[in-house]
Amino acid sequence: MEEYICSSCAQLIDISKNTAVKVVKKPISNVVLEVGQKGILEGKEYTVISIVVRKYGSSTLWREYVLKNALDENLYLSESYGHWVLLKEEHIEFNSQKKAVLYNGLLYRWFETTPSSIESATGYFEEKLSFTLATYVEYVFGTKMISYEHYGKRTEIFTGKHIPFKLIQKAFNTTRKPNKYGIGMVQPFYINTKQLLNIFGVTAIAISLLQLFNYTTKANYEVLNDVIRFDSINNKELVSKSFTLEGGSAPMNVKLFSNVDNSWANVELSLVNENTNEITYASKDIERYSGYEDGESWSEGSTNEEFNLCGVAPGKYHFIISAQKQGLENMDAETRTYSDGNRTITKESNGLINVKDNLTGNYTTYSDESSFKKDSTNLKLLKKLTDSAKVSDKIIDYDTTNPTVEIKAFWKPISLWNFGISIITMAILIALAFWGRYLFEKSKWSDSSNTPYPESEE
């Protein structure tokens, strides 16, 4: 050692002359390590031998810690705004260009040139402290850096890399923590995008292989295909044939069709697991309306509906089905009759339509629907039994106007939906990660005079 600073009187002592050179201010602000403190870095025990706080401009400070081990090897810790760099001195010249340095095949970009002076210091020094203005020229490549430090005619060269403060806390067993602000010069992005790309790439390949295996070893198949008359299950339930599902859990796709026109129909499905008695319930409306208003025609809804029962496990199942349509909600299922209190309309299975006068008990029988509608009194009755005249002529005509609903159910162990969602989700996450890293790097280089992001200079 050539010099040291007395811990009690703060005098800088020249060891060779054993004389005091000057009083040096003691580092206080944001200092987290102490001279003499020991810690293990890179597998070796180091001791903090000195601390120097350097100053740029009127208020910008950063701290430099010199560490030494028993083999007389030095390491350097530099901390600025809570961001840490681990440095080693190099005794070689790099291939320097005007705004870049080539080292180990990597091109380090010039980040900034910073003049600085010593603001405060403490500890033991292998060389005499220089209180003259020093110039730091720093080059950055990702989380690595090269620093040229010029003191008059002397130049020292250091290579450095980002080091998380958690490692320093663990190495030196310290609870102190410096204030952190902004983005460090060699601070890495929060996500390792290269690693993320590799992980998602391997995952995508694995998912693709699994999808291919499913495609070659399994098949989607139909478990229900039935056309059901509304009048046959009005206020009743229909039980389907049993079917067996084999393999892994998969979605059950259900498709419905009914020729609704300015009306609605509803289908209720219960999927019953015969092994566990577990029931999965679903209800779906089929609606389609159209009209002509303000000189323009309009329509909404559809005669087709589709939905999925997700994650249906293998096992033995059957469906319980109930359905109804507009016009049947007030119909007695057993007698197939409508009544307004005074008269009752009954449609027989052979197509005959009977109208009973409830006061006199007399019947009028019509051979078909056409002759029934020719009697104007019946149309008035129909209007009383419905909410609008537009659908009144469909009350009796339930056998010919959407009299049925078609139900199809498919078990789909092979589905591109989950496969596609997984691939798209990973692609979106990768894109967001790279976009986030771009914004991160752009913000980091906004403090540099040599930013590769032109917009940052505006």
Side-chain angles (χ1 to χ4, degrees):
M1 302 297 169
E2 292 197 11
E3 293 179 331
Y4 71 92
I5 296 176
C6 178
S7 59
S8 57
C9 65
Q11 289 278 358
L12 176 63
I13 308 298
D14 185 327
I15 294 177
S16 63
K17 299 178 182 180
N18 197 26
T19 56
V21 178
K22 61 182 297 185
V23 175
V24 180
K25 182 180 176 182
K26 185 177 181 178
I28 298 175
S29 175
N30 254 9
V31 175
V32 298
L33 301 179
E34 297 178 355
V35 173
Q37 193 168 355
K38 298 182 183 296
I40 297 177
L41 289 174
E42 299 187 338
K44 298 178 183 179
E45 185 180 68
Y46 288 87
T47 302
V48 179
I49 63 170
S50 66
I51 304 170
V52 175
V53 179
R54 304 198 70 88
K55 184 176 183 180
Y56 164 66
S58 59
S59 60
T60 303
L61 302 176
W62 72 89
R63 284 141 290 278
E64 296 177 348
Y65 301 83
V66 181
L67 317 176
K68 183 177 284 290
N69 65 20
L71 300 176
D72 201 29
E73 297 171 332
N74 285 3
L75 280 181
Y76 304 87
L77 285 172
S78 175
E79 177 269 316
S80 176
Y81 293 111
H83 304 283
W84 293 78
V85 182
L86 181 65
L87 299 123
K88 295 180 180 179
E89 187 174 3
E90 302 288 348
H91 299 285
I92 59 173
E93 279 291 336
F94 301 120
N95 183 4
S96 301
Q97 302 176 19
K98 185 176 182 181
K99 290 189 176 182
V101 167
L102 184 64
Y103 175 60
N104 284 345
L106 302 178
L107 192 63
Y108 289 71
R109 187 182 183 91
W110 172 58
F111 189 89
E112 195 58 271
T113 298
T114 309
S116 67
S117 59
I118 294 177
E119 193 266 349
S120 58
T122 188
Y124 302 85
F125 304 93
E126 297 177 294
E127 296 177 352
K128 290 187 177 182
L129 282 178
S130 174
F131 290 88
T132 60
L133 195 67
T135 302
Y136 284 50
V137 185
E138 294 156 326
Y139 299 82
V140 170
F141 180 87
T143 60
K144 301 177 180 180
M145 68 175 295
I146 294 173
S147 178
Y148 284 76
E149 300 180 9
H150 302 283
Y151 304 87
K153 295 182 179 180
R154 190 181 71 187
T155 299
E156 294 178 341
I157 303 173
F158 298 86
T159 57
K161 63 180 180 181
H162 168 80
I163 179 171
F165 180 62
K166 287 183 179 180
L167 290 183
I168 298 172
Q169 277 184 311
K170 183 178 180 180
F172 291 92
N173 193 26
T174 179
T175 57
R176 298 178 184 176
K177 191 173 183 179
N179 298 324
K180 193 171 184 179
Y181 173 78
I183 299 174
M185 186 189 309
V186 290
Q187 180 183 342
F189 183 49
Y190 311 107
I191 299 172
N192 187 326
T193 51
K194 184 177 180 180
Q195 189 178 60
L196 179 70
L197 185 61
N198 290 337
I199 292 173
F200 278 5
V202 172
T203 304
I205 293 173
I207 292 174
S208 299
L209 292 175
L210 182 61
Q211 184 72 15
L212 180 62
F213 173 77
N214 284 335
Y215 184 80
T216 55
T217 59
K218 299 179 181 180
N220 298 333
Y221 57 92
E222 189 176 76
V223 297
L224 177 67
N225 188 345
D226 207 350
V227 177
I228 302 171
R229 292 181 61 88
F230 286 105
D231 59 334
S232 68
I233 58 171
N234 187 46
N235 296 323
K236 296 180 181 179
E237 290 182 336
L238 175 68
V239 179
S240 75
K241 293 181 180 180
S242 296
F243 52 88
T244 302
L245 307 179
E246 297 178 349
S249 297
M252 179 78 71
N253 177 252
V254 180
K255 296 181 179 179
L256 306 175
F257 169 78
S258 184
N259 190 29
V260 291
D261 184 15
N262 278 323
S263 62
W264 56 265
N266 174 266
V267 176
E268 296 180 355
L269 283 177
S270 297
L271 179 64
V272 181
N273 187 322
E274 296 180 5
N275 300 324
T276 64
N277 291 324
E278 182 181 354
I279 299 175
T280 303
Y281 173 80
S283 177
K284 193 70 175 178
D285 290 328
I286 310 170
E287 299 177 288
R288 186 181 184 280
Y289 297 95
S290 61
Y292 193 81
E293 187 176 358
D294 296 332
E296 294 184 358
S297 59
W298 58 271
S299 65
E300 61 181 15
S302 173
T303 57
N304 295 279
E305 291 293 342
E306 182 176 355
F307 62 92
N308 285 328
L309 302 176
C310 297
V312 179
K316 190 174 182 181
Y317 293 86
H318 67 262
F319 281 109
I320 298 177
I321 307 167
S322 62
Q324 66 175 170
K325 68 168 187 174
Q326 183 169 310
L328 279 182
E329 63 269 33
N330 295 320
M331 178 181 176
D332 185 290
E334 300 299 329
T335 62
R336 301 185 183 182
T337 63
Y338 292 96
S339 177
D340 67 348
N342 295 324
R343 288 187 299 169
T344 300
I345 304 172
T346 303
K347 185 171 184 179
E348 306 290 348
S349 58
N350 59 8
L352 294 178
I353 299 173
N354 296 317
V355 179
K356 177 185 176 181
D357 189 320
N358 295 334
L359 298 177
T360 64
N362 294 330
Y363 281 88
T364 303
T365 301
Y366 300 89
S367 60
D368 54 30
E369 188 177 320
S370 177
S371 59
F372 169 82
K373 290 182 177 179
K374 287 180 181 179
D375 191 331
S376 61
T377 57
N378 293 331
L379 293 179
K380 292 179 181 179
L381 171 61
L382 290 176
K383 290 180 181 180
K384 292 180 181 179
L385 296 175
T386 58
D387 294 329
S388 78
K390 286 185 178 180
V391 297
S392 64
D393 61 339
K394 302 183 187 297
I395 292 296
I396 292 299
D397 193 20
Y398 62 84
D399 285 329
T400 57
T401 303
N402 73 304
T404 62
V405 59
E406 182 178 347
I407 305 175
K408 293 182 179 181
F410 302 86
W411 196 51
K412 305 181 73 174
I414 301 174
S415 173
L416 291 177
W417 177 256
N418 291 336
F419 171 73
I421 287 295
S422 300
I423 297 298
I424 291 172
T425 300
M426 287 190 291
I428 292 174
L429 291 175
I430 289 172
L432 290 175
F434 275 89
W435 176 247
R437 190 181 72 170
Y438 168 81
L439 296 177
F440 178 87
E441 292 292 331
K442 181 179 176 182
S443 178
K444 176 197 293 188
W445 282 86
S446 63
D447 294 330
S448 171
S449 302
N450 189 34
T451 172
Y453 306 95
E455 302 147 67
S456 300
E457 298 174 351
E458 295 178 1

